[in-house]
Amino acid sequence: MDNFWAHLARPFTVLAPLSGFTDRAFRQICRSYGADVVVSEMASVAALVHSPEKALERLYFNEIERPYVVQLFGADPNQFGEAARLVTNRIQPDGLDINCGCPAPKIIKEGAGAALGADLPRARQAVQAVLSNTSLPVSIKLRAQNKDISAQQVVAYLADLPLAAVTVHGRSVSGGFSGPVDPGAIALCRPYVAGVLIANGGIVDLMTAQIMLQKSLADGIMIGRGALGRPWIFQEIKEGREINLTWTELTELIRRHAQLIVAYKGEDGLIEFRKFLAWYVKGWPQAKALRAQLMQIKTLSELENVITSVSA
Ligand SMILES: Cc1cc2nc3c(=O)[nH]c(=O)nc-3n(C[C@H](O)[C@H](O)[C@H](O)COP(=O)(O)O)c2cc1C
């Protein structure tokens, strides 16, 4: 199958996998602002093997999201292989990604995420199992430093495998989500990555995007939290200019996003949409009072009442 990564115009942008956020509604919003690739929330290979229908349900997508990558997490290379075959056949995304960097204690305890990334022979088996069970391009996502193992050591160890892309989150596993980002540690991976190299971590605007691209030697950048409340960050980077939405434009976006949520999840989905609303109004005048009202909404009409009551 086609390796779409190789054909992307560089530098390209990728919406990061964000568990609890990057569902099909948000992925479509980010694609509409020019994200070149979008990634699913991480999907458990154990769940895909044991309760496939339920696990597959969360991975369906709309054609307009392409190129769409499904990210897998887990511990057992055999399950990675089985899950890769299932997702390739049933979901037919454009790529598969392997999570080798998640620091959440729950994930590490099961031997997945950063625990997989720290166990090089097992990580290699997982990559090989996925490669043997899919025709899709395969990528991995890892941290710059994982205990005493650097991303450079991991990619050197995997350099003979045909990985189409490698994403390095420029923080250490122990740095969690707020520690310093080291673009230099990403650049050190460059010689070992035959596919595309993607830099991630702390990109929140045009300037941080440009600095990351220069210092990391990456082909593209991946953005997570910088897209929450500001999905137009992809357009800013593409057009090389800062974009500030008016309140009217922002409310149009909020409506569009809410309608997609309701289309896919029903009005019940608006309860979990509240966390997006908090991001959207961050920094607006009276954000605190506005947020308090938005945290109560249960229906589209209640949402409409709150956003039209503001004359920002
Ligand atoms: C709420 C949340 C959920 C995340 N879920 C995932 C995930 O499912 N898979 C993954 O590889 N990384 C996940 N990450 C890490 C992000 O993909 C990204 O590497 C990290 O947030 C750094 O990028 P940023 O500074 O642009 O947010 C998550 C991060 C956050 C904050």
Side-chain angles (χ1 to χ4, degrees):
M1 206 169 279
D2 188 42
N3 175 13
F4 75 90
W5 290 111
H7 308 309
L8 294 170
R10 300 173 195 190
F12 56 82
T13 57
V14 184
L15 171 66
L18 294 175
S19 194
F21 288 94
T22 52
D23 59 6
R24 64 202 287 194
F26 190 55
R27 294 192 304 259
Q28 284 178 39
I29 293 285
C30 291
R31 280 290 282 144
S32 75
Y33 283 109
D36 294 306
V37 183
V38 294
V39 186
S40 72
E41 302 172 77
M42 61 182 178
S44 158
V45 293
L48 282 159
V49 168
H50 293 126
S51 351
E53 295 312 320
K54 198 166 157 228
L56 285 167
E57 184 66 35
R58 298 182 59 238
L59 296 177
Y60 288 113
F61 69 108
N62 189 299
E63 285 297 310
I64 61 170
E65 291 170 46
R66 288 191 187 280
Y68 164 63
V69 174
V70 167
Q71 191 193 55
L72 302 172
F73 80 95
D76 177 355
N78 292 325
Q79 288 183 338
F80 267 100
E82 222 176 301
R85 190 161 358 107
L86 183 72
V87 171
T88 303
N89 294 336
R90 294 283 302 279
I91 303 295
Q92 299 180 1
D94 297 280
L96 296 179
D97 186 68
I98 300 170
N99 184 322
C100 292
C102 180
K106 199 175 82 184
I107 303 293
I108 292 201
K109 219 165 120 189
E110 64 176 86
L116 179 68
D119 182 344
L120 291 185
R122 192 159 54 87
R124 187 180 177 88
Q125 285 170 15
V127 172
Q128 282 174 319
V130 173
L131 284 165
S132 309
N133 282 281
T134 189
S135 51
L136 298 169
V138 176
S139 54
I140 58 167
K141 179 167 179 279
L142 68 163
R143 293 269 183 154
Q145 191 70 36
N146 187 350
K147 293 187 180 156
D148 57 348
I149 304 172
S150 67
Q152 182 189 12
Q153 286 172 292
V154 180
V155 292
Y157 181 76
L158 301 176
D160 58 316
L161 299 179
L163 284 169
V166 171
T167 301
V168 182
H169 175 183
R171 292 188 176 93
S172 63
V173 171
S174 57
F177 292 97
S178 55
V181 176
D182 179 5
I186 305 174
L188 290 174
C189 296
R190 181 75 274 185
Y192 305 98
V193 177
V196 296
L197 177 65
I198 303 164
N200 167 242
I203 299 166
V204 291
D205 54 21
L206 186 56
M207 199 172 76
T208 44
Q210 285 169 341
I211 292 172
M212 180 59 111
L213 274 167
Q214 274 163 16
K215 294 193 173 172
S216 68
L217 309 179
D219 301 292
I221 45 177
M222 176 182 273
I223 299 170
R225 288 161 297 172
L228 297 176
R230 300 190 82 252
W232 59 90
I233 187 172
F234 297 104
Q235 187 184 347
E236 282 186 327
I237 292 167
K238 193 151 275 180
E239 296 179 2
R241 66 183 178 102
E242 194 187 313
I243 298 173
N244 291 302
L245 261 56
T246 62
W247 179 251
T248 308
E249 287 166 335
L250 182 68
T251 53
E252 281 303 315
L253 165 58
I254 290 174
R255 269 188 208 104
R256 184 156 64 93
H257 193 163
Q259 280 158 4
L260 284 169
I261 291 281
V262 172
Y264 294 126
K265 300 187 174 173
E267 273 198 323
D268 284 352
L270 291 177
I271 307 286
E272 56 177 286
F273 182 59
R274 291 173 183 170
K275 63 188 173 204
F276 280 100
L277 290 169
W279 281 96
Y280 279 129
V281 299
K282 210 174 148 204
W284 280 89
Q286 290 119 38
K288 204 169 161 206
L290 187 55
R291 197 168 57 237
Q293 290 182 63
L294 289 168
M295 291 309 107
Q296 308 289 323
I297 64 111
K298 291 188 285 298
T299 62
L300 280 177
S301 65
E302 286 174 9
L303 171 62
E304 193 58 36
N305 286 342
V306 177
I307 58 180
T308 49
S309 70
V310 175
S311 53

